[in-house]
Amino acid sequence: MPKDHGIGASPKRREDIRFLSGTGNYTDDMNVNGQAYVHFLRSDVAHGRIKSINLDAASAMPGVVKIFTGADFEGVGGIPCGWEITDKHGNAMQEPAHPVLAQGKVRYVGDQIAAVVAETLEQARDAAEAIDVDIEELPAVVDMAGALVDGSTKVHDDLTSNLCYDWGFVEENKPAVEAAFADAAHVTTLELRNNRLIANPMEPRVAIGDFERASGNSTLFTTSQNPHVIRLLMGAFVLGIPEHKLRVVAPDVGGGFGTKIFHYAEEAFCTFAAKALNRAVKWTSTRSEAFISDAHGRDHVTTIQLALDADNNFTAVRTDTMANMGAYLSTFAPSVPTWLHGTLMAGNYKTPLVYVNVKAVFTNTVPVDAYRGAGRPEATYQLERVIDKAALELGLDPIALRRQNFITEFPYATPVAVEYDTGDYHATMDVLEKMADLSGFEARRKASEARGMLRGIGINCYIEACGIAPSNLVGQLGARAGLYESATVRVNATGGLVVMTGSHSHGQGHETAFPQVIAEMIGIDESMVEIEHGDTDKAPMGMGTYGSRSLAVGGSAMVRATEKIIAKTKKIAAHLMEAAEADIELKDGTFSVAGTDKSVAWGDVTLAAYVPHNYPLEDIEPGLEETAFYDPANFTYPSGAYACEVEVDPDTGKVTIEAFNAADDFGNVVNPMIVDGQVHGGIGQGIGQALLENAAYDENGQLLSASYMDYAMPRASDLPFYGVDHSCQTPCTHNPLGVKGCGEAGAIGSPPAVVNAVVNALRSGGHDIHHIDMPVSPSRVWQAMNG
Amino acid sequence: MYNFEFEKPSSIADAVAALGDEEATALSGGQTLLPTMKQRLASPTKVVSLLGISEMQGICTGDDGALCIGGATSHADVAAGASAYPGLAALAGGIGDPAVRARGTVGGSLANNDPAACYPAGALASGATIVTNAREIAADDYFQGMFTTALDESEIITEVRFPVPQASNYQKFEQPASRFALVGVFVAKYADGVRVAVTGASEEGVHRWTAAEEALSANFSADAVPAAPGADGMIADLHGTAAYRAHLVAVLTKRAVAAAS
Ligand SMILES: Cc1cc2nc3c(=O)[nH]c(=O)nc-3n(C[C@H](O)[C@H](O)[C@H](O)COP(=O)(O)OP(=O)(O)OC[C@H]3O[C@@H](n4cnc5c(N)ncnc54)[C@H](O)[C@@H]3O)c2cc1C
């Protein structure tokens, strides 16, 4: 019988009532008295020198409050980067200045040249059209290989080249890896591109800056996945506002997928302008603006090689990647192709030797940063594709080849610096083989062929590192922030609890899942617990939500704080029942004294904490509120096996997904329904990447897919009904909940399954094809079939 | 969006008069015009809605048996009401999504003549007559290349007359993002011959594939469809090369014939 409450139950998501009934409170729903509106004049060329900006006509337009340009930001800090990479020679990465408004040059289509603040948005837009900007267009740097050629145009004149860093990992292993390749019985090589994506959350970004002259306090309302991080980055590095004078609020946020982690220039602008003008300033991105101003994702060009011995054991992996940074370094951009990617290159396999080289490249394109999975999808895709190719070349069953090389003993220290605590890769593969009905595949293929269609099946495994992460480790790796999480648990006099968490929910369902944990710990109903998040005035600190870290890290902080609450309530209960503290038991919301029939209810104890007439005042303080900061000891390592079955129309090249099955190991599961939903969404985005999505630039740096007319998002009709199973559970050994995180798995694990399946289908039709780059669009498939 | 005046006349004559002003634009379903205005790519000073004109609404059968559709009739109404011409009803039912079909109109679609739109293929393959406030224009004379038609300034499409074929079918291969036609082919078989119109493929906009028409007029079977036309002049973009589009023209024509016969 499934549980009906607490850990393991699937209560419906309480937040959905407001999301589905139009009563959410999103940033654009908020308005501050007297607010003005800002419209950004953005560059329509990818690279150019600003020769002059004439504001005369524009400033005289109706309703204009003030027009800001780079000149107004000369003494102001730039947008900081939160992660510094040390290259393979021991040098720091090249880090360009990142101004709030362009200083002298524009570096991508979408770069902010000027900001018009006016009484209404339409007036701001009208005035922006009247600004006279003279830009000398320069050649655009778009192609990464070209950007690295000596003598290439430079995106940043003051850097030595367009190379941000050349990273080798693990550099000391390189000679051994080379030797293993020299000795290999077989080497498989695959060149591929991990296509550039645009996150497209349903809610575009919004920022409202506000300033209160009487107190000198600033407030920023923003669509962020981590308001505390924005407060620190913007306050300390851009505007010089200490935390106690700056509040950042991220209310309901309509999806983030990574792109709302970062600190953006528009946020700093609105906060700065509100103070300069002494009135609130609001910016709402249009969908068109989002395409050219939200950080993009992925965009790696990779050559991967796999070495095998004569018995088909993997002996070494070597991979070379060019990773596009875009024109500036977005907040976490340098970490994505390095620590979030290189550390995963062992995958689920006991390959003893791995060497990863990454060249991060500046181009005249929108900055690229984390997008659902961030680095781990890129690692999984190349590894799982090259294994499939090796199986083809060697005539081996792709599942058997994987199984033969699985890591089976845990903990397992990989050659790429991480230690997997738990996992059971054979178990997830066993489940997958049943779910995907592999034995029935040949019959299904025949049925497809009878209808003139090609049918293929693709399977792959994935491992990811999430729940980021131990602060001391990430500090060594270049993070400029800690990656703990905090929670304050406040118990009110009548027994209800409010949890103020530094995790931010933007669709994940924390308001439902977090109370389930507390309900389980105390034995009370979930309705007695309320979750508050998204306001720097509430939770003490917060590193926010990304990297599937909310439950594993934020949830663990909440558990620790709740443990402190329980410890204190036991003291109070012991006093009330005149018993020894050690004898107090808490079950089903009632304290009892072991071996007696004495008991006192949860509510009586909480009331005593606030009405301390009969209370151990000499030992403990009144009140019932505790805070904990939790810093994990390791990453968590969810893993799984995915299978995709496709049909390909040989006449048109169109691929349809006929079945998709996912067997995941997320450790313990708090709310299975929410986990299903997370996997569904992740797979949807993974299928989107594999079949449809493509942020493409032309050679002049114009974004070709700058609207939904050309950027193909997955829709319901593109997606099958998924089979999802998370019954394989090897709990995480180092967090109190034994949870691993499930938010990104679907997006990490699904793209290789789709491409493996398409290659398999085409080969069944007699086409000697080893690879097609994503998105595997009808025209690309047709091209591949027809030379 | 820039400011504009708005008028909603109830007769064709009043609409034509209102459109006489310079910079005035007709508004039908608004599915093309309004997004363009929101993006500030169009800046009419006056917008004249055609949706208040009852004689431009609805579907009837003419004395010659042709299906007559009012210029401001929505795609949804055609999808539901044009059962006399199933190929055309299916075309209308495959445009965009339910919201687009509820607003978008046949007159707006033909006036806009988007090179990837569906209706132009239906009208051209049917040898339709585009009736305006001033005259009647044969489809063969009406379409003059991408976004270009025989309409004069402020001329409005009041009705479109579609001769009903013996058999017909429209095959649309969707562009993955916009879901307009990457290539669309409408095949219509009449007593006096077969007409084949292709949308989405050519830089010249909607056009007839005469080689296929001749072959199919002689033998209306999928096997009779000639080899794919040349790739010269076909559109090449992010979603497909010219050669791919040319290939799809033949594939979709075969499918349309198979589905029609
Ligand atoms: C999301 C989306 C998906 C779509 N998908 C498809 C698709 O798959 N296939 C397809 O074919 N189309 C598609 N469309 C277009 C849609 O079918 C509309 O029919 C088309 O936009 C024009 O019709 P409308 O009535 O909306 O015209 P409007 O937008 O009102 O007008 C368009 C132009 O025509 C002029 N005009 C309008 N009516 C007349 C008239 N009676 N006489 C003279 N001029 C006139 C206007 O002045 C304007 O210049 C899609 C649109 C959207 C928004």
Side-chain angles (χ1 to χ4, degrees):
Chain A
M1 253 271 293
K3 291 180 69 173
D4 63 2
H5 86 289
I7 292 177
S10 288
K12 292 222 168 76
R13 302 198 332 163
R14 54 169 83 163
E15 48 270 74
D16 285 345
I17 294 170
R18 66 177 194 278
F19 296 158
L20 298 179
S21 64
T23 53
N25 183 34
Y26 295 91
T27 309
D28 194 48
D29 295 327
M30 306 174 89
N31 292 295
V32 178
N33 255 346
Q35 75 196 7
Y37 296 82
V38 59
H39 175 75
F40 291 94
L41 176 67
R42 296 180 183 277
S43 178
D44 56 7
V45 301
H47 194 194
R49 199 175 311 285
I50 302 173
K51 292 167 71 181
S52 65
I53 304 178
N54 185 334
L55 303 177
D56 292 349
S59 300
M61 298 275 290
V64 172
V65 177
K66 181 173 162 67
I67 304 178
F68 294 81
T69 67
D72 296 292
F73 282 82
E74 260 156 25
V76 180
I79 304 299
C81 177
W83 205 297
E84 179 173 280
I85 295 299
T86 303
D87 75 5
K88 65 183 186 186
H89 309 295
N91 301 321
M93 67 184 186
Q94 295 207 81
E95 192 170 352
H98 187 174
V100 175
L101 295 177
Q103 303 275 356
K105 260 180 119 181
V106 288
R107 295 190 174 84
Y108 62 94
V109 172
D111 209 353
Q112 307 86 242
I113 299 170
V116 183
V117 180
E119 299 295 338
T120 72
L121 182 56
E122 290 299 315
Q123 287 172 331
R125 293 183 71 172
D126 288 345
E129 287 174 9
I131 296 177
D132 182 11
V133 194
D134 185 7
I135 294 183
E136 175 197 345
E137 202 172 337
L138 300 169
V141 180
V142 180
D143 171 60
M144 285 193 278
L148 294 179
V149 169
D150 272 352
S152 161
T153 304
K154 284 194 286 182
V155 177
H156 296 279
D157 301 322
D158 50 341
L159 303 186
T160 59
S161 68
N162 292 318
L163 181 67
C164 176
Y165 55 75
D166 182 353
W167 186 73
F169 185 65
V170 174
E171 198 60 26
E172 298 76 60
N173 291 350
K174 196 177 177 192
V177 171
E178 305 284 321
F181 272 92
D183 290 346
H186 184 84
V187 173
T188 296
T189 303
L190 181 62
E191 288 174 32
L192 51 84
R193 173 168 214 126
N194 204 290
N195 40 326
R196 182 186 272 244
L197 304 177
I198 301 174
N200 283 299
M202 210 184 281
E203 176 206 31
R205 287 187 299 119
V206 182
I208 309 171
D210 192 16
F211 181 71
E212 191 186 71
R213 191 156 56 171
S215 62
N217 289 345
S218 294
T219 303
L220 170 68
F221 301 92
T222 183
T223 50
S224 175
Q225 300 177 216
N226 34 221
H228 287 85
V229 176
I230 302 305
R231 183 180 65 168
L232 180 63
L233 290 175
M234 183 177 80
F237 297 98
V238 190
L239 302 179
I241 309 174
E243 285 96 324
H244 67 289
K245 305 302 282 180
L246 175 59
R247 175 179 172 212
V248 179
V249 181
D252 283 333
V253 173
F257 310 113
T259 205
K260 290 178 183 165
I261 297 172
F262 323 122
H263 174 40
Y264 286 95
E266 294 90 351
E267 295 171 320
F269 176 82
C270 290
T271 311
F272 175 88
K275 189 169 180 181
L277 301 171
N278 192 29
R279 70 189 281 191
V281 174
K282 180 173 189 174
W283 171 69
T284 302
S285 171
T286 64
R287 183 60 68 183
S288 307
E289 249 180 319
F291 276 92
I292 53 167
S293 70
D294 290 3
H296 293 179
R298 315 277 195 263
D299 205 352
H300 287 191
V301 174
T302 294
T303 302
I304 181 168
Q305 294 189 295
L306 174 66
L308 301 94
D309 67 14
D311 299 322
N312 305 320
N313 298 310
F314 302 162
T315 57
V317 166
R318 178 164 67 190
T319 159
D320 275 301
T321 288
M322 284 185 294
N324 208 331
M325 296 285 103
Y328 299 102
L329 290 179
S330 175
T331 310
F332 288 118
S335 68
V336 174
T338 50
W339 300 110
L340 295 175
H341 166 254
T343 50
L344 273 299
M345 283 313 308
N348 309 55
Y349 311 101
K350 53 192 180 205
T351 318
L353 290 161
V354 177
Y355 179 72
V356 181
N357 177 251
V358 177
K359 296 183 181 70
V361 187
F362 293 112
T363 58
N364 291 116
T365 62
V366 171
V368 180
D369 204 329
Y371 167 69
R372 199 171 194 170
R376 291 150 289 168
E378 294 91 321
T380 304
Y381 180 66
Q382 50 174 301
L383 189 62
E384 295 295 325
R385 285 288 303 120
V386 82
I387 293 171
D388 246 44
K389 188 172 182 221
L392 274 178
E393 290 173 352
L394 295 166
L396 301 170
D397 171 44
I399 296 180
L401 179 61
R402 286 177 168 87
R403 282 186 182 272
Q404 171 183 345
N405 286 282
F406 274 163
I407 295 161
T408 52
E409 283 169 26
F410 297 88
Y412 177 82
T414 71
V416 275
V418 289
E419 185 175 282
Y420 303 161
D421 58 345
T422 52
D424 187 345
Y425 309 146
H426 284 294
T428 43
M429 188 61 91
D430 290 343
V431 170
L432 182 77
E433 289 195 26
K434 286 202 199 76
M435 291 171 83
D437 182 23
L438 293 188
S439 53
F441 174 72
E442 277 312 318
R444 294 194 293 278
R445 172 172 274 173
K446 287 219 169 59
S448 294
E449 282 169 356
R451 289 185 288 109
M453 304 296 264
L454 302 175
R455 196 175 188 103
I457 187 161
I459 63 99
N460 67 267
C461 301
Y462 78 89
I463 169 94
E464 61 153 323
C466 58
I468 43 184
S471 294
N472 53 7
L473 177 63
V474 297
Q476 285 166 30
L477 305 183
R480 289 167 169 163
L483 284 170
Y484 50 82
E485 195 50 87
S486 80
T488 294
V489 176
R490 176 178 299 160
V491 187
N492 293 318
T494 56
L497 293 89
V498 179
V499 180
M500 284 150 283
T501 168
S503 295
H504 188 278
S505 183
H506 31 279
Q508 290 86 348
H510 298 171
E511 290 169 46
T512 302
F514 280 29
Q516 289 180 249
V517 173
I518 296 207
E520 180 87 25
M521 290 176 75
I522 301 177
I524 52 175
D525 198 78
E526 280 123 26
S527 62
M528 289 178 69
V529 187
E530 202 72 21
I531 303 297
E532 295 210 4
H533 63 88
D535 186 341
T536 57
D537 273 5
K538 289 185 176 160
M541 187 56 185
M543 297 317 294
T545 290
Y546 40 82
S548 308
R549 67 195 301 276
S550 293
L551 193 59
V553 188
S556 294
M558 177 184 73
V559 168
R560 292 277 191 260
T562 307
E563 283 168 356
K564 292 184 192 178
I565 293 282
I566 291 172
K568 185 168 177 181
T569 51
K570 282 185 173 175
K571 280 197 170 71
I572 303 168
H575 178 90
L576 292 176
M577 295 188 281
E578 295 172 341
E581 194 187 322
D583 293 336
I584 304 295
E585 288 168 357
L586 172 60
K587 194 169 178 285
D588 296 333
T590 301
F591 297 90
S592 55
V593 181
T596 75
D597 59 1
K598 282 197 212 168
S599 73
V600 52
W602 170 256
D604 295 331
V605 172
T606 60
L607 190 63
Y610 288 92
V611 188
H613 297 162
N614 174 19
Y615 195 84
L617 284 166
E618 56 288 357
D619 291 335
I620 49 175
E621 297 165 7
L624 208 43
E625 175 164 322
E626 297 288 350
T627 292
F629 279 64
Y630 175 81
D631 204 290
N634 191 355
F635 292 87
T636 62
Y637 300 95
S639 62
Y642 284 14
C644 176
E645 219 166 296
V646 298
E647 262 190 6
V648 179
D649 180 342
D651 290 335
T652 63
K654 187 172 166 60
V655 176
T656 44
I657 310 267
E658 297 296 316
F660 201 106
N661 286 288
D664 294 288
D665 174 1
F666 296 132
N668 294 334
V669 167
V670 169
N671 183 316
M673 176 198 71
I674 288 180
V675 169
D676 285 356
Q678 289 289 311
V679 175
H680 288 181
I683 296 174
Q685 284 181 306
I687 291 175
Q689 168 164 32
L691 291 186
L692 296 158
E693 299 184 45
N694 191 20
Y697 280 93
D698 73 8
E699 67 278 7
N700 299 318
Q702 293 292 337
L703 183 61
L704 295 172
S705 41
S707 78
Y708 293 133
M709 291 301 280
D710 288 296
Y711 190 91
M713 293 291 286
R715 301 176 216 207
S717 59
D718 296 313
L719 306 171
F721 281 91
Y722 308 117
V724 171
D725 182 289
H726 29 81
S727 61
C728 296
Q729 299 184 352
T730 61
C732 168
T733 55
H734 55 80
N735 67 43
L737 290 166
V739 297
K740 294 185 171 180
C742 66
E744 296 158 296
I748 293 169
S750 53
V754 176
V755 179
N756 288 348
V758 172
V759 171
N760 179 261
L762 294 184
R763 294 185 69 86
S764 79
H767 301 282
D768 185 24
I769 286 164
H770 281 101
H771 180 68
I772 303 178
D773 267 335
M774 301 187 290
V776 183
S777 62
S779 68
R780 285 190 179 170
V781 173
W782 183 79
Q783 209 75 43
M785 287 189 293
N786 293 278
Chain B
M1 205 181 272
Y2 302 100
N3 250 341
F4 56 86
E5 308 270 303
F6 182 73
E7 280 189 41
K8 193 172 181 183
S10 54
S11 76
I12 292 171
D14 287 351
V16 172
L19 284 167
D21 291 7
E22 235 177 286
E23 309 287 323
T25 298
L27 171 71
S28 194
Q31 297 303 292
T32 296
L33 184 59
L34 295 183
T36 322
M37 288 170 64
K38 282 185 182 168
Q39 288 181 292
R40 298 187 157 216
L41 298 171
S43 50
T45 52
K46 190 203 275 183
V47 169
V48 181
S49 170
L50 306 177
L51 297 186
I53 304 170
S54 54
E55 52 190 309
M56 283 178 64
Q57 293 284 348
I59 304 169
C60 62
T61 304
D63 296 342
D64 57 356
L67 190 75
C68 304
I69 305 181
T73 309
S74 72
H75 308 330
D77 284 349
V78 174
S83 51
Y85 190 167
L88 194 71
L91 173 149
I95 291 175
D97 51 49
V100 168
R101 293 194 289 274
R103 299 292 308 172
T105 65
V106 60
S109 181
L110 293 179
N112 195 46
N113 192 19
D114 187 303
C118 302
Y119 257 122
L124 188 59
S126 306
T129 301
I130 288 72
V131 182
T132 75
N133 56 298
R135 55 187 168 143
E136 297 185 358
I137 312 171
D140 283 323
D141 303 325
Y142 176 83
F143 298 104
Q144 302 188 346
M146 287 193 183
F147 299 109
T148 313
T149 69
L151 289 179
D152 291 330
E153 288 285 311
S154 79
E155 188 172 5
I156 55 180
I157 299 173
T158 54
E159 186 180 86
V160 188
R161 294 188 193 137
F162 294 88
V164 178
Q166 296 165 343
S168 69
N169 184 259
Y170 177 60
Q171 291 286 322
K172 173 186 183 186
F173 190 80
E174 287 177 350
Q175 194 257 51
S178 71
R179 301 203 169 181
F180 275 67
L182 184 72
V183 175
V185 176
F186 199 109
V187 171
K189 178 174 185 279
Y190 290 92
D192 58 353
V194 176
R195 290 173 66 105
V196 178
V198 178
T199 187
S202 169
E203 286 172 349
E204 303 297 317
V206 67
H207 65 280
R208 289 169 65 184
W209 187 18
T210 46
E213 291 183 347
E214 280 160 27
L216 290 168
S217 295
N219 173 14
F220 194 69
S221 85
D223 297 338
V225 173
D232 268 6
M234 294 287 178
I235 297 169
D237 62 12
L238 202 54
H239 307 288
T241 59
Y244 180 58
R245 280 190 168 80
H247 166 79
L248 284 181
V249 170
V251 170
L252 299 177
T253 305
K254 281 186 192 146
R255 289 184 179 180
V257 173
S261 41

